[in-house]
Amino acid sequence: MSTNTTVGTAARPLRVAVVGSGPAGVYAADILTKSEAVKSGELTVSIDLFDRYPAPYGLIRYGVAPDHPRIKGIVNALHKVLDRGDIRFFGNVDYGTDLTLEDLRTHYDAVIFATGAIKDADLNIPGIELEGSYGGADFVSWYDGHPDVPRDWPLEAKEIAVIGNGNVALDVARMLSKHADDLLVSEIPDNVYRALKDSPVTDVHVFGRRGPAQVKFTPLELRELSHSKDVDIILYPEDFEFDAESDRQIQSNNQTKTMVGTLTNWIAEQPEDLSELTASRRLHLHFLHSPVEVYDDAANPGRVAGIKFERTELDGTGNARGTGEFIDYPVQAVYRAIGYFGSALPEVEFDHSRGVVPNDGGRVLDASGAHVPGIYATGWIKRGPVGLIGHTKGDALETVTYLLEDRGNLPQAAAPAPEAVIGLLEDRGVQYTSWEGWLALDAHERSLGEKASAGPDSVQRERIKVVPREDMVEISRGGVAAEV
């Protein structure tokens, strides 16, 4: 390790690698550059941001529904940070394949892992493996044009069950029930538009285990459901149960009060005779349902034919217990959206039960529980897939604070020159992308939108997302622009 130059000075800045360019990684890099130690001149830093995808932004690009109104604001904030020029972006670089932990330690004094969580949490009930049963996160990756998932998705069901009461469940349900033409104003890829356009869906059912006061989605997500054209929202009076804990939550939490108010207003305005509803598609919201089994039938062995639930009741504490009453719903597809789960990182200790890297406030721990010098974590890989963007900022601040406290004892990089890691990637033939490359890809996607909007009767499309990884890399690296 190099020890002949004081780290953190103008002659030898503190070299930090951040693995993951979603909000968690970008916020950590930004907070470090704006820390008091840096602003005062006491410390200088040099930060490189790595991502396995050719484009930045992580789950903001590949994990949020394209019609979500908050996307633009978050992307704009991340763009401003990376556009300053004081943080380098290296896309299409896969940690564990293109770069190892030893490589990072050789070139950086500290490493922050901000790799998030992209896999679906398991739902261990009989039949969950049947054909027609899908992970919500996989579906999100598909409709967001993730470069590493198949470009086709089997949208053949008329009746669909979505299990979960969080924001992802509502995103999945909204995308399944919304008419494809209403998504053209978003950055939806063309292959996704065509598949959704041909979907025969008529009914999407969303199921939660507890009551309306215990839902995990936000008021914004709930309101978005009502913005879908030609889609009726249907609720059921028997699902509106409130116990003492529900009442306490409604009185003490404005978000809960808002959501319960919205739901109760909807059911009050709903006609008693549901046949009076005239939309071609229906989105059903069910509460107090616990999934028991996904089943097939003799006509379609091996394929989803329905799902069985046990009715639940609140127990006075806001939790639910079974009632012994069971109900079947005939559906041809089931989407589980009960949460994300983190993936293990090569050469880093991993808690497989929680899906996180073991850590103490962001300091990564080894198998014995000791802090691994110079290795940190932030975001969902640190705390699990919970919380919103505001939590991510606070989380990054905690991690960066500990890193700064440790800076006098960090193992110094042996090859800290900024050019050294570039040479390593080029020697290995890694087709990495840059921030300038992202600006080129961004401009290309916008030009595709302008081209599609050119006709007199065309919908104005802001952009069309490029999907194939090879096209993203070629455009980003200055190759001939590829059409999608």
Side-chain angles (χ1 to χ4, degrees):
M1 296 181 185
S2 174
T3 57
N4 56 2
T5 304
T6 302
V7 174
T9 65
R12 167 69 164 84
L14 178 72
R15 290 280 285 150
V16 179
V18 180
V19 181
S21 69
V26 175
Y27 289 146
D30 185 42
I31 289 169
L32 182 54
T33 63
K34 294 177 178 177
S35 63
E36 189 58 39
V38 173
K39 288 194 297 183
S40 68
E42 175 190 347
L43 176 71
T44 60
V45 294
S46 172
I47 305 173
D48 289 343
L49 195 64
F50 295 92
D51 204 291
R52 64 184 300 231
Y53 308 128
Y57 308 144
L59 277 183
I60 295 302
R61 181 173 168 93
Y62 293 122
V64 181
D67 62 341
H68 199 303
R70 292 185 64 209
I71 288 181
K72 290 181 182 178
I74 298 170
V75 167
N76 288 341
L78 301 180
H79 178 99
K80 288 178 181 178
V81 173
L82 296 180
D83 203 43
R84 294 195 310 247
D86 56 344
I87 300 167
R88 293 195 303 183
F89 171 72
F90 291 88
N92 202 41
V93 179
D94 186 24
Y95 168 73
T97 303
D98 301 319
L99 284 177
T100 65
L101 186 59
E102 181 181 356
D103 294 329
L104 294 175
R105 282 193 170 284
T106 298
H107 296 287
Y108 301 92
D109 307 301
V111 180
I112 302 174
F113 287 103
T115 51
I118 61 172
K119 293 184 177 180
D120 283 286
D122 290 334
L123 177 62
N124 295 316
I125 61 173
I128 198 67
E129 76 289 344
L130 289 173
E131 187 177 351
S133 174
Y134 310 105
D138 291 337
F139 182 59
V140 172
S141 293
W142 172 76
Y143 68 57
D144 272 334
H146 194 296
D148 296 336
V149 302
R151 299 191 66 185
D152 296 321
W153 190 273
L155 291 169
E156 303 161 348
K158 290 185 176 181
E159 299 159 303
I160 300 171
V162 179
I163 304 171
N165 256 183
N167 284 342
V168 174
L170 290 197
D171 275 353
V172 167
R174 192 178 69 257
M175 289 293 291
L176 286 167
S177 59
K178 197 168 187 174
H179 291 276
D181 285 349
D182 295 330
L183 291 164
L184 285 175
V185 295
S186 72
E187 60 182 33
I188 184 173
D190 279 341
N191 65 298
V192 176
Y193 166 73
R194 290 191 295 268
L196 291 173
K197 178 77 170 176
D198 293 337
S199 171
V201 65
T202 58
D203 292 83
V204 177
H205 299 261
V206 182
F207 296 94
R209 187 174 58 85
R210 296 188 291 172
Q214 286 78 41
V215 296
K216 296 298 184 182
F217 42 74
T218 60
L220 178 62
E221 291 282 352
L222 183 60
R223 286 195 299 269
E224 282 183 55
L225 293 184
S226 64
H227 297 161
S228 296
K229 299 175 184 176
D230 190 35
V231 179
D232 282 325
I233 298 174
I234 299 177
L235 301 105
Y236 298 87
E238 62 269 24
D239 291 344
F240 281 73
E241 178 182 310
F242 302 95
D243 60 359
E245 177 59 19
S246 300
D247 292 337
R248 188 197 67 77
Q249 291 172 343
I250 293 168
Q251 295 303 316
S252 62
N253 187 300
N254 285 332
Q255 178 168 296
T256 301
K257 181 184 293 185
T258 298
M259 288 189 293
V260 170
T262 298
L263 290 167
T264 52
N265 285 340
W266 284 356
I267 198 167
E269 295 167 359
Q270 181 175 290
E272 289 188 18
D273 184 358
L274 295 182
S275 66
E276 296 178 18
L277 299 174
T278 58
S280 66
R281 293 179 175 178
R282 291 161 292 280
L283 180 54
H284 308 254
L285 298 181
H286 303 270
F287 307 103
L288 302 173
H289 282 69
S290 181
V292 173
E293 177 189 11
V294 181
Y295 57 85
D296 58 5
D297 60 23
N300 292 287
R303 289 189 58 86
V304 172
I307 182 168
K308 181 188 296 290
F309 289 89
E310 182 178 13
R311 292 285 302 182
T312 61
E313 61 183 7
L314 299 177
D315 64 3
T317 69
N319 290 313
R321 61 193 173 204
T323 64
E325 176 189 351
F326 296 89
I327 184 170
D328 288 354
Y329 291 87
V331 296
Q332 299 83 51
V334 172
Y335 290 74
R336 66 185 186 278
I338 58 173
Y340 284 85
F341 201 78
S343 301
L345 298 168
E347 302 180 85
V348 180
E349 191 66 24
F350 193 71
D351 183 341
H352 290 273
S353 64
R354 298 179 54 225
V356 299
V357 169
N359 68 91
D360 181 11
R363 290 178 168 122
V364 171
L365 307 177
D366 63 18
S368 69
H371 175 216
V372 183
I375 308 297
Y376 302 86
T378 192
W380 280 4
I381 201 64
K382 168 188 173 183
R383 71 177 190 273
V386 294
L388 303 174
I389 294 297
H391 298 88
T392 302
K393 289 182 178 179
D395 191 46
L397 176 61
E398 179 186 52
T399 294
V400 169
T401 299
Y402 281 126
L403 188 158
L404 291 172
E405 285 182 6
D406 298 339
R407 68 183 185 272
N409 299 309
L410 295 174
Q412 295 187 28
E419 299 79 16
V421 71
I422 294 177
L424 177 67
L425 292 172
E426 291 180 344
D427 287 345
R428 291 178 179 174
V430 178
Q431 298 289 297
Y432 66 86
T433 62
S434 65
W435 179 247
E436 292 73 19
W438 160 246
L439 296 179
L441 178 58
D442 181 45
H444 178 73
E445 292 185 342
R446 292 179 184 275
S447 73
L448 293 177
E450 291 174 3
K451 182 178 179 181
S453 306
D457 299 321
S458 298
V459 175
Q460 293 301 304
R461 303 187 68 178
E462 182 176 339
R463 72 162 72 229
I464 298 175
K465 189 180 289 184
V466 173
V467 180
R469 180 183 286 266
E470 58 272 19
D471 289 356
M472 296 173 66
V473 172
E474 183 180 19
I475 296 163
S476 298
R477 290 176 63 87
V480 178
E483 295 287 343
V484 292

